[in-house]
């Protein structure tokens, strides 16, 4: 199969009319900026995002670029620090003169950068999960991953099907974890879920036994739901097993990577969470419209990097495809025209699901884009 970028751009090119016009005619390159958390606590998200963007931009340029124009990727490592994200967003806009920004690995870095990109009028496609990134809608801001609210809804729907109504929350007290916690509290009553215990931990905590012991000693707890990313959820999972807790443990889509399973080890067995179809690519039905996209992407990524694909790599792939398709349809790198075309994205089949955006929805995914998965024998499987 031809490279996915070539396939993706070819598929999107049918929507483009004519050739590049206006300012784009004078430009030799299409400049894509990115600030990603390649190092630091979110590195297992940011590193595959960087690899993905680099790989497909390189392949795209080998195939002749976009309508003959080279694509230049300019990226910086914010190490998961919001202040660095602001600095790099400014640099990308003011010094590098990028046409669009794809990045913002975490909710915290994305929210910080929005304060820069929004007034500057530069299209920004975030790769982070927090719903606050696109709700309320911001003119220049879009995102590819499912939201934390959607994750909470998918988990609570699964719990409801299993007759679970009394749940303990434990979450990281920062960025994605805090936003996910708050969204969980908002939607829990909709699914008949009562939060009977509510504990938090710091991203740097080496142990959460004290918080989990409180949960274990809370009467009536039928399941535990953890919201966080990085090493925190793995520590929660290990301590959960060490305490001999027997109720189901759910995680969010913030751990949808084999790295989480490796960090948590045997303690990960039986964990349930919502994730994109990419992590169970081969298990999707033959008629599932995502299957050819996710299986091909998984094959190419793992062949190139000799490592397991993650949903985070997929977020970057989707962001790149959506951006390039918008530029093609706009026939220009004019920022307002590109922004308008991103907003018109409709029927895009990506690694995260089927995407159809609108002026009222700058993500374009429905709850059906999430699949409930479970860890069995050290791997992801589609849950019942």
């Amino acid at each position: 199969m031809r490279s996915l970028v070539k396939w993706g751009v070819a598929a999107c090119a049918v929507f483009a009319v004519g050739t590049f016009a206006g300012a784009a005619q004078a430009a030799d390159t299409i400049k894509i900026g990115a600030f990603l958390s390649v190092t630091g606590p979110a590195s297992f998200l940011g590193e595959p995002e960087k690899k993905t963007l680099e790989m497909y931009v390189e392949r795209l340029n080998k195939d002749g670029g976009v309508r003959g124009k080279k694509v230049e990727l300019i990226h910086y490592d914010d190490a998961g620090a919001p202040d660095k994200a602001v600095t790099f967003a400014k640099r990308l806009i003011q010094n590098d003169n990028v046409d669009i920004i794809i990045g913002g690995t975490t909710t915290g870095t994305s929210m910080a950068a929005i304060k820069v990109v929004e007034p500057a009028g530069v299209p920004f496609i975030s790769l982070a999960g927090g719903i606050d990134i696109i709700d309320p809608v911001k003119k220049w801001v879009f995102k590819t991953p499912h939201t934390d609210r959607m994750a909470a809804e998918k988990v609570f729907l699964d719990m409801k099907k299993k007759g679970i109504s009394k749940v303990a929350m434990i979450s990281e007290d920062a960025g994605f974890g805090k936003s996910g916690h708050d969204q969980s509290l908002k939607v829990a009553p909709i699914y008949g879920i009562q939060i009977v215990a509510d504990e938090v931990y710091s991203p740097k905590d080496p142990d959460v036994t004290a918080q989990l012991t409180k949960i274990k000693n809370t009467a009536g707890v039928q399941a535990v739901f953890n919201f966080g990313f990085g090493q925190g959820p793995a520590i929660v999972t290990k301590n959960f097993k060490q305490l001999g807790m027997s109720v189901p443990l759910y995680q969010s889509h913030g751990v949808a990577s084999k790295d989480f399973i490796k960090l948590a080890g045997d303690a990960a067995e039986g964990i349930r969470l919502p994730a994109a179809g990419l992590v169970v690519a081969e298990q999707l039905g033959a008629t599932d419209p995502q299957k050819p996209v996710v299986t091909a992407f998984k094959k190419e990524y793992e062949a190139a990097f000799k490592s397991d694909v993650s949903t985070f790599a997929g977020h970057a792939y989707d962001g790149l495809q959506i951006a390039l398709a918008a530029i093609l349809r706009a026939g220009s790198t004019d920022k307002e025209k590109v922004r308008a075309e991103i907003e018109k994205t409709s029927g895009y089949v990506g690694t995260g699901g089927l995407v159809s955006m609108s002026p009222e929805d700058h993500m374009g995914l429905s709850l059906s884009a999430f699949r409930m998965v479970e860890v069995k024998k050290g791997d992801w499987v589609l849950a019942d």
Side-chain angles (χ1 to χ4, degrees), residues 148 152 156 169-173 175-187 195 197-200 225-228:
D148 43 17
F156 291 151
M169 286 288 303
I170 182 167
S171 53
E172 185 177 285
D173 191 20
F176 175 71
K178 189 175 189 305
S179 179
H181 163 270
D182 295 345
Q183 293 302 318
S184 296
L185 296 188
K186 288 180 181 179
V187 301
I195 305 300
D198 191 353
E199 297 292 329
V200 298
F225 183 22
N226 176 216
F227 238 112

Side-chain angles (χ1 to χ4, degrees), residues 37-371:
S37 304
V38 181
T39 60
S43 61
F44 86 91
L45 288 73
E47 185 178 16
E49 291 168 352
K50 172 178 171 285
K51 287 178 177 178
T52 299
L53 292 177
E54 288 179 331
M55 176 172 70
Y56 286 113
V57 166
E58 180 182 353
R59 292 188 183 188
L60 179 63
N61 286 329
K62 285 183 179 179
D63 286 337
V66 177
R67 295 283 174 84
K69 293 188 177 295
K70 180 183 177 182
V71 178
E72 181 182 0
L73 176 66
I74 305 168
H75 62 82
Y76 299 104
D77 176 15
D78 61 36
D83 58 337
K84 289 185 179 180
V86 169
T87 297
F88 293 138
K90 288 180 180 178
R91 185 179 300 175
L92 288 167
I93 295 167
Q94 298 171 4
N95 297 353
D96 300 318
N97 299 310
V98 297
D99 298 305
I100 190 168
I101 297 175
I102 302 171
T105 297
T106 72
T107 298
T109 57
S110 292
M111 292 301 294
I114 284 172
K115 297 173 184 178
V116 176
V117 299
E118 187 73 3
V122 176
F124 172 42
I125 301 177
S126 171
L127 308 180
I131 193 170
D132 290 345
I133 295 166
I134 46 87
D135 185 8
V137 172
K138 301 161 187 68
K139 180 178 179 179
W140 297 93
V141 181
F142 305 84
K143 71 191 289 299
T144 55
H146 316 74
T147 68
D148 43 17
R149 180 183 295 173
M150 291 170 65
E153 290 184 306
K154 195 73 173 182
V155 165
F156 291 151
L157 182 62
D158 189 71
M159 289 179 176
K160 185 176 181 180
K161 290 178 180 177
K162 294 180 175 299
I164 295 170
S165 61
K166 293 185 177 181
V167 177
M169 286 288 303
I170 182 167
S171 53
E172 185 177 285
D173 191 20
F176 175 71
K178 189 175 189 305
S179 179
H181 163 270
D182 295 345
Q183 293 302 318
S184 296
L185 296 188
K186 288 180 181 179
V187 301
I190 299 173
Y191 294 89
I193 300 295
Q194 181 183 0
I195 305 300
V196 296
D198 191 353
E199 297 292 329
V200 298
Y201 59 89
S202 165
K204 296 182 179 180
D205 282 351
D207 185 274
V208 295
T209 301
Q211 295 95 317
L212 287 173
T213 298
K214 290 180 182 178
I215 289 173
K216 185 178 181 180
N217 293 333
T218 300
V221 172
Q222 296 173 293
V224 177
F225 183 22
N226 176 216
F227 238 112
F229 70 84
Q231 297 215 12
I235 292 170
V236 169
T237 303
K238 287 181 176 180
N239 290 166
F240 187 90
K241 183 176 182 180
Q242 290 165 356
L243 287 171
M245 298 176 73
S246 58
V247 297
L249 175 59
Y250 286 78
Q251 297 280 356
S252 76
H253 59 316
V255 303
S257 164
K258 277 287 191 68
D259 286 343
F260 163 74
I261 299 177
K262 292 173 183 176
L263 285 170
D266 293 342
E269 189 73 9
I271 297 292
R272 292 172 76 92
L273 65 137
L278 178 59
V279 301
V280 285
E282 292 85 357
Q283 299 172 46
L284 299 180
T287 60
D288 192 310
Q290 270 194 283
K291 185 152 191 173
V293 176
V294 294
T295 52
F297 175 69
K298 181 175 186 290
K299 181 179 179 181
E300 288 212 345
Y301 183 94
E302 293 182 348
F305 302 114
K306 304 298 186 285
S307 60
D308 295 312
V309 74
S310 73
T311 56
F312 312 110
H315 299 334
Y317 171 78
D318 289 343
L320 179 63
Q321 292 288 12
I322 289 169
L324 294 176
I327 290 170
L328 279 168
R329 293 196 303 270
S332 167
T333 51
D334 178 89
K335 293 179 175 61
E336 176 54 50
K337 291 180 180 179
V338 172
R339 186 214 69 80
E341 290 300 332
I342 295 174
E343 194 173 75
K344 294 176 186 175
T345 298
S346 179
Y348 166 71
V349 182
T351 69
L354 277 64
V355 179
S356 289
M357 297 187 190
S358 71
E360 295 77 33
D361 182 358
H362 280 195
M363 174 185 62
L365 292 170
S366 69
L367 198 58
S368 63
F370 257 145
R371 322 293 173 115

